[in-house]
Short mmCIF file of all heavy atoms in Angstrom, two decimals:
data_model
loop_
_atom_site.label_atom_id
_atom_site.label_comp_id
_atom_site.label_asym_id
_atom_site.label_seq_id
_atom_site.Cartn_x
_atom_site.Cartn_y
_atom_site.Cartn_z
N ASN A 60 0.85 -1.22 -0.03
CA ASN A 60 -0.05 0.01 -0.02
C ASN A 60 0.92 1.23 -0.03
O ASN A 60 1.60 1.56 1.02
CB ASN A 60 -0.93 0.02 1.17
CG ASN A 60 -1.81 1.20 1.33
OD1 ASN A 60 -1.78 2.06 0.56
ND2 ASN A 60 -2.55 1.19 2.40
N LYS A 61 0.89 1.91 -1.10
CA LYS A 61 1.74 3.10 -1.25
C LYS A 61 0.94 4.35 -0.92
O LYS A 61 1.46 5.48 -1.01
CB LYS A 61 2.26 3.23 -2.66
CG LYS A 61 3.22 2.05 -2.97
CD LYS A 61 3.75 2.23 -4.44
CE LYS A 61 4.66 1.05 -4.73
NZ LYS A 61 5.24 1.14 -6.08
N GLY A 62 -0.26 4.24 -0.38
CA GLY A 62 -1.12 5.41 -0.05
C GLY A 62 -0.80 5.94 1.31
O GLY A 62 0.27 5.60 1.94
N LYS A 63 -1.69 6.79 1.81
CA LYS A 63 -1.49 7.44 3.08
C LYS A 63 -2.42 6.93 4.18
O LYS A 63 -2.52 7.50 5.25
CB LYS A 63 -1.68 8.90 2.91
CG LYS A 63 -0.53 9.54 2.02
CD LYS A 63 -0.76 11.01 1.92
CE LYS A 63 0.36 11.56 0.99
NZ LYS A 63 0.21 13.01 0.93
N SER A 64 -3.23 5.92 3.93
CA SER A 64 -4.16 5.36 4.82
C SER A 64 -4.38 3.82 4.58
O SER A 64 -4.07 3.30 3.48
CB SER A 64 -5.51 6.04 4.69
OG SER A 64 -6.12 5.81 3.47
N VAL A 65 -4.90 3.17 5.58
CA VAL A 65 -5.19 1.76 5.49
C VAL A 65 -6.21 1.53 4.41
O VAL A 65 -7.19 2.31 4.29
CB VAL A 65 -5.73 1.20 6.80
CG1 VAL A 65 -6.22 -0.25 6.72
CG2 VAL A 65 -4.61 1.32 7.84
N VAL A 66 -6.06 0.39 3.59
CA VAL A 66 -7.02 0.10 2.53
C VAL A 66 -7.64 -1.25 2.97
O VAL A 66 -6.88 -2.24 3.21
CB VAL A 66 -6.40 -0.07 1.16
CG1 VAL A 66 -7.34 -0.52 0.20
CG2 VAL A 66 -5.72 1.19 0.74
N THR A 67 -8.96 -1.26 3.05
CA THR A 67 -9.61 -2.51 3.30
C THR A 67 -10.12 -3.09 1.93
O THR A 67 -10.26 -2.29 0.97
CB THR A 67 -10.88 -2.36 4.15
OG1 THR A 67 -11.77 -1.42 3.73
CG2 THR A 67 -10.41 -1.94 5.61
N TRP A 68 -10.31 -4.40 1.87
CA TRP A 68 -10.73 -4.92 0.56
C TRP A 68 -11.58 -6.20 0.80
O TRP A 68 -11.47 -6.84 1.84
CB TRP A 68 -9.56 -5.20 -0.35
CG TRP A 68 -8.50 -6.00 0.38
CD1 TRP A 68 -7.41 -5.58 0.97
CD2 TRP A 68 -8.52 -7.45 0.51
NE1 TRP A 68 -6.76 -6.54 1.59
CE2 TRP A 68 -7.36 -7.75 1.19
CE3 TRP A 68 -9.31 -8.52 0.10
CZ2 TRP A 68 -6.98 -9.01 1.54
CZ3 TRP A 68 -8.89 -9.82 0.44
CH2 TRP A 68 -7.79 -10.07 1.09
N THR A 69 -12.36 -6.53 -0.23
CA THR A 69 -13.04 -7.82 -0.33
C THR A 69 -12.69 -8.49 -1.56
O THR A 69 -12.24 -7.84 -2.57
CB THR A 69 -14.59 -7.63 -0.24
OG1 THR A 69 -15.02 -6.80 -1.34
CG2 THR A 69 -14.97 -7.06 1.12
N SER A 70 -12.77 -9.78 -1.66
CA SER A 70 -12.50 -10.57 -2.88
C SER A 70 -13.60 -11.49 -3.14
O SER A 70 -14.38 -11.92 -2.18
CB SER A 70 -11.23 -11.27 -2.77
OG SER A 70 -11.25 -12.29 -1.77
N CYS A 71 -13.80 -11.90 -4.43
CA CYS A 71 -14.83 -12.87 -4.77
C CYS A 71 -14.37 -13.45 -6.11
O CYS A 71 -13.45 -13.11 -6.77
CB CYS A 71 -16.22 -12.23 -4.87
SG CYS A 71 -16.36 -10.94 -6.16
N SER A 72 -15.15 -14.40 -6.58
CA SER A 72 -14.91 -15.04 -7.93
C SER A 72 -16.26 -15.09 -8.67
O SER A 72 -17.31 -15.09 -8.07
CB SER A 72 -14.32 -16.43 -7.76
OG SER A 72 -15.22 -17.32 -7.29
N SER A 73 -16.09 -15.20 -9.96
CA SER A 73 -17.26 -15.21 -10.83
C SER A 73 -17.77 -16.66 -11.08
O SER A 73 -18.90 -16.77 -11.62
CB SER A 73 -16.94 -14.59 -12.20
OG SER A 73 -16.01 -15.34 -12.84
N GLN A 74 -17.03 -17.68 -10.59
CA GLN A 74 -17.51 -19.05 -10.91
C GLN A 74 -17.38 -19.86 -9.59
O GLN A 74 -16.48 -19.65 -8.77
CB GLN A 74 -16.55 -19.70 -11.96
CG GLN A 74 -16.63 -18.98 -13.29
CD GLN A 74 -17.95 -19.18 -14.00
OE1 GLN A 74 -18.72 -20.14 -13.76
NE2 GLN A 74 -18.37 -18.12 -14.86
N PRO A 75 -18.29 -20.91 -9.46
CA PRO A 75 -18.27 -21.71 -8.22
C PRO A 75 -16.96 -22.54 -8.08
O PRO A 75 -16.61 -22.95 -7.01
CB PRO A 75 -19.54 -22.53 -8.37
CG PRO A 75 -19.88 -22.52 -9.76
CD PRO A 75 -19.36 -21.20 -10.31
N TRP A 76 -16.35 -22.87 -9.22
CA TRP A 76 -15.12 -23.70 -9.19
C TRP A 76 -13.85 -22.89 -8.95
O TRP A 76 -12.78 -23.43 -8.78
CB TRP A 76 -14.92 -24.38 -10.46
CG TRP A 76 -15.21 -23.65 -11.76
CD1 TRP A 76 -16.27 -23.62 -12.51
CD2 TRP A 76 -14.32 -22.77 -12.42
NE1 TRP A 76 -16.19 -22.77 -13.54
CE2 TRP A 76 -14.91 -22.27 -13.52
CE3 TRP A 76 -12.95 -22.36 -12.13
CZ2 TRP A 76 -14.29 -21.31 -14.39
CZ3 TRP A 76 -12.34 -21.40 -13.00
CH2 TRP A 76 -12.98 -20.95 -14.14
N LEU A 77 -13.98 -21.54 -8.86
CA LEU A 77 -12.83 -20.60 -8.61
C LEU A 77 -13.00 -20.01 -7.25
O LEU A 77 -13.99 -19.42 -6.91
CB LEU A 77 -12.84 -19.57 -9.74
CG LEU A 77 -11.66 -18.50 -9.78
CD1 LEU A 77 -10.39 -19.28 -10.07
CD2 LEU A 77 -11.96 -17.54 -10.75
N THR A 78 -11.97 -20.16 -6.39
CA THR A 78 -12.00 -19.57 -5.12
C THR A 78 -10.86 -18.51 -4.94
O THR A 78 -9.84 -18.66 -5.52
CB THR A 78 -11.89 -20.57 -3.96
OG1 THR A 78 -10.72 -21.31 -4.10
CG2 THR A 78 -13.12 -21.51 -4.01
N VAL A 79 -11.20 -17.44 -4.18
CA VAL A 79 -10.19 -16.46 -3.79
C VAL A 79 -10.13 -16.34 -2.28
O VAL A 79 -11.17 -16.25 -1.64
CB VAL A 79 -10.58 -15.07 -4.47
CG1 VAL A 79 -9.53 -14.07 -4.16
CG2 VAL A 79 -10.81 -15.20 -5.93
N SER A 80 -9.07 -16.45 -1.70
CA SER A 80 -8.88 -16.34 -0.32
C SER A 80 -7.70 -15.54 0.10
O SER A 80 -6.73 -15.53 -0.61
CB SER A 80 -8.88 -17.70 0.33
OG SER A 80 -7.73 -18.44 -0.10
N PRO A 81 -7.83 -14.86 1.24
CA PRO A 81 -9.05 -14.68 2.07
C PRO A 81 -10.07 -13.82 1.42
O PRO A 81 -9.85 -13.20 0.33
CB PRO A 81 -8.48 -13.96 3.26
CG PRO A 81 -7.28 -13.21 2.90
CD PRO A 81 -6.68 -14.08 1.75
N ALA A 82 -11.24 -13.87 1.94
CA ALA A 82 -12.45 -13.21 1.32
C ALA A 82 -12.39 -11.64 1.61
O ALA A 82 -13.11 -10.91 0.95
CB ALA A 82 -13.73 -13.73 1.85
N ALA A 83 -11.66 -11.25 2.61
CA ALA A 83 -11.60 -9.80 2.99
C ALA A 83 -10.29 -9.63 3.76
O ALA A 83 -9.70 -10.57 4.35
CB ALA A 83 -12.75 -9.40 3.80
N GLY A 84 -9.88 -8.34 3.80
CA GLY A 84 -8.69 -7.95 4.58
C GLY A 84 -8.45 -6.56 4.56
O GLY A 84 -9.22 -5.75 4.11
N SER A 85 -7.26 -6.19 5.06
CA SER A 85 -6.82 -4.76 5.04
C SER A 85 -5.27 -4.75 4.89
O SER A 85 -4.60 -5.70 5.13
CB SER A 85 -7.19 -4.09 6.36
OG SER A 85 -6.59 -4.72 7.38
N VAL A 86 -4.88 -3.61 4.34
CA VAL A 86 -3.41 -3.45 4.15
C VAL A 86 -2.95 -2.11 4.74
O VAL A 86 -3.49 -1.03 4.41
CB VAL A 86 -3.04 -3.43 2.63
CG1 VAL A 86 -1.64 -3.37 2.39
CG2 VAL A 86 -3.65 -4.55 1.88
N ALA A 87 -2.02 -2.14 5.71
CA ALA A 87 -1.51 -1.01 6.33
C ALA A 87 -0.64 -0.15 5.32
O ALA A 87 -0.17 -0.75 4.30
CB ALA A 87 -0.66 -1.36 7.48
N VAL A 88 -0.42 1.05 5.60
CA VAL A 88 0.43 1.92 4.79
C VAL A 88 1.85 1.27 4.74
O VAL A 88 2.41 0.84 5.75
CB VAL A 88 0.56 3.34 5.34
CG1 VAL A 88 1.60 4.10 4.59
CG2 VAL A 88 -0.83 4.02 5.27
N GLY A 89 2.40 1.08 3.57
CA GLY A 89 3.68 0.53 3.38
C GLY A 89 3.73 -1.04 3.40
O GLY A 89 4.82 -1.59 3.26
N ALA A 90 2.65 -1.66 3.51
CA ALA A 90 2.56 -3.13 3.65
C ALA A 90 2.00 -3.72 2.33
O ALA A 90 1.50 -3.02 1.50
CB ALA A 90 1.75 -3.57 4.86
N ARG A 91 2.01 -5.05 2.30
CA ARG A 91 1.49 -5.79 1.15
C ARG A 91 0.49 -6.79 1.70
O ARG A 91 0.50 -7.16 2.82
CB ARG A 91 2.61 -6.55 0.44
CG ARG A 91 3.60 -5.66 -0.26
CD ARG A 91 4.64 -6.46 -0.96
NE ARG A 91 5.64 -5.57 -1.49
CZ ARG A 91 6.59 -6.03 -2.34
NH1 ARG A 91 6.68 -7.25 -2.63
NH2 ARG A 91 7.48 -5.14 -2.77
N SER A 92 -0.43 -7.22 0.74
CA SER A 92 -1.38 -8.25 1.12
C SER A 92 -1.34 -9.22 -0.06
O SER A 92 -1.23 -8.89 -1.25
CB SER A 92 -2.75 -7.66 1.28
OG SER A 92 -3.61 -8.58 1.73
N TYR A 93 -1.50 -10.53 0.29
CA TYR A 93 -1.50 -11.54 -0.79
C TYR A 93 -2.77 -12.34 -0.75
O TYR A 93 -3.32 -12.59 0.29
CB TYR A 93 -0.30 -12.55 -0.54
CG TYR A 93 1.05 -11.82 -0.61
CD1 TYR A 93 1.64 -11.28 0.50
CD2 TYR A 93 1.70 -11.73 -1.83
CE1 TYR A 93 2.84 -10.67 0.41
CE2 TYR A 93 2.86 -11.10 -1.90
CZ TYR A 93 3.52 -10.50 -0.81
OH TYR A 93 4.69 -9.92 -0.87
N LEU A 94 -3.18 -12.74 -1.96
CA LEU A 94 -4.38 -13.55 -2.14
C LEU A 94 -3.98 -14.81 -2.81
O LEU A 94 -3.01 -14.96 -3.54
CB LEU A 94 -5.38 -12.79 -3.14
CG LEU A 94 -5.93 -11.46 -2.69
CD1 LEU A 94 -6.76 -10.85 -3.72
CD2 LEU A 94 -6.75 -11.64 -1.35
N THR A 95 -4.80 -15.77 -2.56
CA THR A 95 -4.57 -17.18 -3.22
C THR A 95 -5.84 -17.42 -4.08
O THR A 95 -6.99 -17.22 -3.65
CB THR A 95 -4.47 -18.34 -2.13
OG1 THR A 95 -3.38 -18.07 -1.36
CG2 THR A 95 -4.35 -19.59 -2.82
N VAL A 96 -5.54 -17.71 -5.28
CA VAL A 96 -6.64 -18.10 -6.30
C VAL A 96 -6.50 -19.57 -6.63
O VAL A 96 -5.40 -20.04 -7.00
CB VAL A 96 -6.55 -17.24 -7.60
CG1 VAL A 96 -7.58 -17.62 -8.58
CG2 VAL A 96 -6.65 -15.78 -7.26
N ALA A 97 -7.55 -20.34 -6.38
CA ALA A 97 -7.47 -21.75 -6.64
C ALA A 97 -8.64 -22.24 -7.50
O ALA A 97 -9.75 -21.71 -7.49
CB ALA A 97 -7.49 -22.49 -5.26
N VAL A 98 -8.43 -23.32 -8.21
CA VAL A 98 -9.38 -23.93 -9.04
C VAL A 98 -9.70 -25.33 -8.46
O VAL A 98 -8.86 -26.13 -8.12
CB VAL A 98 -8.91 -24.09 -10.55
CG1 VAL A 98 -9.84 -24.95 -11.35
CG2 VAL A 98 -8.69 -22.67 -11.16
N ASN A 99 -11.03 -25.64 -8.35
CA ASN A 99 -11.47 -26.92 -7.96
C ASN A 99 -12.13 -27.57 -9.20
O ASN A 99 -13.24 -27.30 -9.55
CB ASN A 99 -12.45 -26.90 -6.84
CG ASN A 99 -13.02 -28.23 -6.40
OD1 ASN A 99 -12.68 -29.26 -7.02
ND2 ASN A 99 -13.86 -28.27 -5.40
N ASN A 100 -11.44 -28.47 -9.88
CA ASN A 100 -11.95 -29.03 -11.13
C ASN A 100 -12.72 -30.32 -10.88
O ASN A 100 -13.11 -30.97 -11.79
CB ASN A 100 -10.75 -29.32 -12.08
CG ASN A 100 -9.83 -30.32 -11.61
OD1 ASN A 100 -10.00 -30.94 -10.50
ND2 ASN A 100 -8.74 -30.58 -12.35
N SER A 101 -13.01 -30.66 -9.66
CA SER A 101 -13.80 -31.84 -9.34
C SER A 101 -15.22 -31.72 -9.93
O SER A 101 -15.91 -30.73 -9.69
CB SER A 101 -13.86 -32.01 -7.77
OG SER A 101 -14.72 -33.07 -7.46
N GLY A 102 -15.63 -32.65 -10.71
CA GLY A 102 -17.00 -32.69 -11.29
C GLY A 102 -17.07 -31.90 -12.54
O GLY A 102 -18.25 -31.91 -13.11
N LEU A 103 -16.03 -31.30 -13.00
CA LEU A 103 -16.09 -30.52 -14.31
C LEU A 103 -15.74 -31.47 -15.45
O LEU A 103 -14.88 -32.32 -15.36
CB LEU A 103 -15.13 -29.32 -14.28
CG LEU A 103 -15.35 -28.30 -13.23
CD1 LEU A 103 -14.21 -27.21 -13.33
CD2 LEU A 103 -16.65 -27.71 -13.46
N ALA A 104 -16.49 -31.30 -16.60
CA ALA A 104 -16.20 -32.03 -17.78
C ALA A 104 -15.01 -31.51 -18.51
O ALA A 104 -14.60 -30.32 -18.21
CB ALA A 104 -17.44 -31.97 -18.69
N ALA A 105 -14.44 -32.18 -19.36
CA ALA A 105 -13.33 -31.68 -20.15
C ALA A 105 -13.76 -30.47 -20.95
O ALA A 105 -14.95 -30.36 -21.38
CB ALA A 105 -12.86 -32.77 -21.14
N GLY A 106 -12.89 -29.45 -21.08
CA GLY A 106 -13.21 -28.32 -21.81
C GLY A 106 -12.35 -27.10 -21.38
O GLY A 106 -11.51 -27.24 -20.47
N VAL A 107 -12.69 -25.98 -21.86
CA VAL A 107 -11.99 -24.69 -21.45
C VAL A 107 -12.93 -23.91 -20.57
O VAL A 107 -14.06 -23.72 -20.85
CB VAL A 107 -11.68 -23.85 -22.75
CG1 VAL A 107 -10.97 -22.57 -22.39
CG2 VAL A 107 -10.79 -24.64 -23.73
N TYR A 108 -12.36 -23.45 -19.53
CA TYR A 108 -13.17 -22.73 -18.47
C TYR A 108 -12.46 -21.37 -18.19
O TYR A 108 -11.26 -21.25 -18.17
CB TYR A 108 -13.16 -23.58 -17.17
CG TYR A 108 -13.98 -24.81 -17.19
CD1 TYR A 108 -13.31 -26.00 -17.74
CD2 TYR A 108 -15.26 -24.77 -16.85
CE1 TYR A 108 -14.03 -27.14 -17.80
CE2 TYR A 108 -15.96 -25.98 -16.92
CZ TYR A 108 -15.35 -27.15 -17.44
OH TYR A 108 -16.12 -28.29 -17.51
N THR A 109 -13.35 -20.42 -18.05
CA THR A 109 -12.85 -18.99 -17.77
C THR A 109 -13.72 -18.46 -16.69
O THR A 109 -14.91 -18.58 -16.65
CB THR A 109 -13.01 -18.11 -19.04
OG1 THR A 109 -12.24 -18.66 -20.08
CG2 THR A 109 -12.59 -16.67 -18.81
N GLY A 110 -12.97 -17.75 -15.72
CA GLY A 110 -13.64 -17.01 -14.68
C GLY A 110 -12.83 -15.83 -14.27
O GLY A 110 -11.75 -15.60 -14.85
N TYR A 111 -13.30 -15.13 -13.37
CA TYR A 111 -12.59 -13.87 -12.84
C TYR A 111 -12.46 -13.88 -11.31
O TYR A 111 -13.39 -14.19 -10.64
CB TYR A 111 -13.33 -12.65 -13.25
CG TYR A 111 -13.37 -12.51 -14.82
CD1 TYR A 111 -14.27 -13.04 -15.64
CD2 TYR A 111 -12.32 -11.73 -15.40
CE1 TYR A 111 -14.30 -12.94 -16.97
CE2 TYR A 111 -12.36 -11.65 -16.77
CZ TYR A 111 -13.29 -12.17 -17.53
OH TYR A 111 -13.24 -12.08 -18.89
N ALA A 112 -11.26 -13.58 -10.88
CA ALA A 112 -11.03 -13.30 -9.46
C ALA A 112 -11.08 -11.79 -9.33
O ALA A 112 -10.50 -11.05 -10.16
CB ALA A 112 -9.70 -13.74 -9.07
N VAL A 113 -11.89 -11.30 -8.40
CA VAL A 113 -12.16 -9.86 -8.24
C VAL A 113 -11.70 -9.38 -6.89
O VAL A 113 -12.04 -9.96 -5.88
CB VAL A 113 -13.64 -9.53 -8.54
CG1 VAL A 113 -13.88 -8.04 -8.36
CG2 VAL A 113 -14.03 -10.07 -9.87
N LEU A 114 -10.99 -8.25 -6.89
CA LEU A 114 -10.57 -7.65 -5.63
C LEU A 114 -11.20 -6.19 -5.70
O LEU A 114 -10.94 -5.44 -6.60
CB LEU A 114 -9.06 -7.51 -5.65
CG LEU A 114 -8.43 -6.83 -4.40
CD1 LEU A 114 -8.75 -7.50 -3.12
CD2 LEU A 114 -7.01 -6.55 -4.59
N ALA A 115 -12.00 -5.92 -4.65
CA ALA A 115 -12.65 -4.62 -4.53
C ALA A 115 -12.08 -3.87 -3.36
O ALA A 115 -12.43 -4.18 -2.18
CB ALA A 115 -14.17 -4.89 -4.40
N PRO A 116 -11.18 -2.82 -3.57
CA PRO A 116 -10.66 -2.10 -2.42
C PRO A 116 -11.65 -0.97 -2.00
O PRO A 116 -12.52 -0.57 -2.70
CB PRO A 116 -9.38 -1.50 -3.04
CG PRO A 116 -9.68 -1.34 -4.51
CD PRO A 116 -10.63 -2.53 -4.87
N SER A 117 -11.33 -0.54 -0.77
CA SER A 117 -12.09 0.59 -0.22
C SER A 117 -11.79 1.91 -0.87
O SER A 117 -12.58 2.89 -0.83
CB SER A 117 -12.00 0.72 1.33
OG SER A 117 -10.56 0.94 1.61
N ILE A 118 -10.60 2.01 -1.51
CA ILE A 118 -10.20 3.17 -2.24
C ILE A 118 -9.81 2.73 -3.63
O ILE A 118 -8.99 1.85 -3.83
CB ILE A 118 -8.94 3.79 -1.48
CG1 ILE A 118 -9.30 4.14 -0.11
CG2 ILE A 118 -8.43 4.96 -2.36
CD1 ILE A 118 -8.17 4.52 0.72
N GLY A 119 -10.41 3.29 -4.69
CA GLY A 119 -10.04 3.01 -6.01
C GLY A 119 -10.94 1.96 -6.60
O GLY A 119 -11.87 1.41 -5.97
N PRO A 120 -10.71 1.65 -7.90
CA PRO A 120 -11.64 0.74 -8.60
C PRO A 120 -11.32 -0.75 -8.35
O PRO A 120 -10.18 -1.03 -7.92
CB PRO A 120 -11.24 1.04 -10.06
CG PRO A 120 -9.92 1.56 -10.05
CD PRO A 120 -9.74 2.26 -8.82
N ALA A 121 -12.33 -1.54 -8.56
CA ALA A 121 -12.11 -2.99 -8.39
C ALA A 121 -11.17 -3.50 -9.51
O ALA A 121 -11.04 -2.94 -10.59
CB ALA A 121 -13.42 -3.71 -8.53
N VAL A 122 -10.50 -4.57 -9.17
CA VAL A 122 -9.58 -5.27 -10.13
C VAL A 122 -10.03 -6.61 -10.46
O VAL A 122 -10.30 -7.42 -9.48
CB VAL A 122 -8.13 -5.23 -9.56
CG1 VAL A 122 -7.19 -5.99 -10.57
CG2 VAL A 122 -7.68 -3.82 -9.34
N SER A 123 -10.17 -6.98 -11.75
CA SER A 123 -10.54 -8.32 -12.11
C SER A 123 -9.36 -9.01 -12.80
O SER A 123 -8.68 -8.33 -13.69
CB SER A 123 -11.73 -8.28 -13.07
OG SER A 123 -12.84 -7.76 -12.46
N VAL A 124 -9.13 -10.25 -12.40
CA VAL A 124 -8.06 -11.02 -13.08
C VAL A 124 -8.68 -12.20 -13.69
O VAL A 124 -9.29 -12.96 -12.99
CB VAL A 124 -6.96 -11.50 -12.01
CG1 VAL A 124 -5.94 -12.37 -12.68
CG2 VAL A 124 -6.36 -10.34 -11.29
N LYS A 125 -8.50 -12.34 -15.02
CA LYS A 125 -9.05 -13.46 -15.77
C LYS A 125 -8.30 -14.79 -15.47
O LYS A 125 -7.03 -14.70 -15.62
CB LYS A 125 -9.04 -13.07 -17.24
CG LYS A 125 -9.71 -14.07 -18.14
CD LYS A 125 -9.68 -13.60 -19.59
CE LYS A 125 -10.33 -14.51 -20.53
NZ LYS A 125 -10.29 -13.96 -21.92
N VAL A 126 -8.99 -15.79 -15.26
CA VAL A 126 -8.40 -17.13 -15.02
C VAL A 126 -9.03 -18.04 -16.03
O VAL A 126 -10.26 -18.22 -16.05
CB VAL A 126 -8.64 -17.53 -13.53
CG1 VAL A 126 -8.17 -18.99 -13.37
CG2 VAL A 126 -8.22 -16.59 -12.52
N THR A 127 -8.15 -18.59 -16.85
CA THR A 127 -8.64 -19.60 -17.88
C THR A 127 -7.82 -20.83 -17.78
O THR A 127 -6.55 -20.84 -17.58
CB THR A 127 -8.47 -18.96 -19.29
OG1 THR A 127 -9.20 -17.77 -19.40
CG2 THR A 127 -8.89 -19.94 -20.35
N PHE A 128 -8.47 -22.01 -17.82
CA PHE A 128 -7.70 -23.28 -17.82
C PHE A 128 -8.44 -24.27 -18.77
O PHE A 128 -9.66 -24.11 -19.04
CB PHE A 128 -7.50 -23.78 -16.40
CG PHE A 128 -8.80 -24.37 -15.79
CD1 PHE A 128 -8.97 -25.72 -15.85
CD2 PHE A 128 -9.66 -23.53 -15.20
CE1 PHE A 128 -10.15 -26.23 -15.23
CE2 PHE A 128 -10.79 -24.05 -14.59
CZ PHE A 128 -11.01 -25.36 -14.57
N THR A 129 -7.66 -25.16 -19.24
CA THR A 129 -8.19 -26.30 -20.06
C THR A 129 -8.11 -27.60 -19.30
O THR A 129 -7.09 -27.93 -18.78
CB THR A 129 -7.38 -26.43 -21.35
OG1 THR A 129 -7.47 -25.17 -22.04
CG2 THR A 129 -8.00 -27.52 -22.23
N LEU A 130 -9.27 -28.29 -19.21
CA LEU A 130 -9.36 -29.53 -18.52
C LEU A 130 -9.45 -30.63 -19.58
O LEU A 130 -10.35 -30.60 -20.42
CB LEU A 130 -10.55 -29.58 -17.53
CG LEU A 130 -10.69 -30.76 -16.67
CD1 LEU A 130 -9.49 -30.95 -15.75
CD2 LEU A 130 -12.02 -30.63 -15.85
N THR A 131 -8.52 -31.57 -19.63
CA THR A 131 -8.53 -32.62 -20.58
C THR A 131 -8.87 -34.03 -20.04
O THR A 131 -8.73 -34.18 -18.85
CB THR A 131 -7.13 -32.70 -21.28
OG1 THR A 131 -6.10 -32.97 -20.35
CG2 THR A 131 -6.84 -31.44 -22.08
#
């Protein structure tokens, strides 16, 4: 966090097979925060899948990261 105040945030995903954790947190000035994005391919048929991991901070716009994988 290069700003001048603490930033709180929430995270979510656009697909049930895609998880983002933790679901919420905060980042102190000068600190970093890390998220884990995971795919649960259990029960999915072969194919190409696309979803988004979304981080919504208390200051500034939300950020979406596209996640695509191929299950063979």
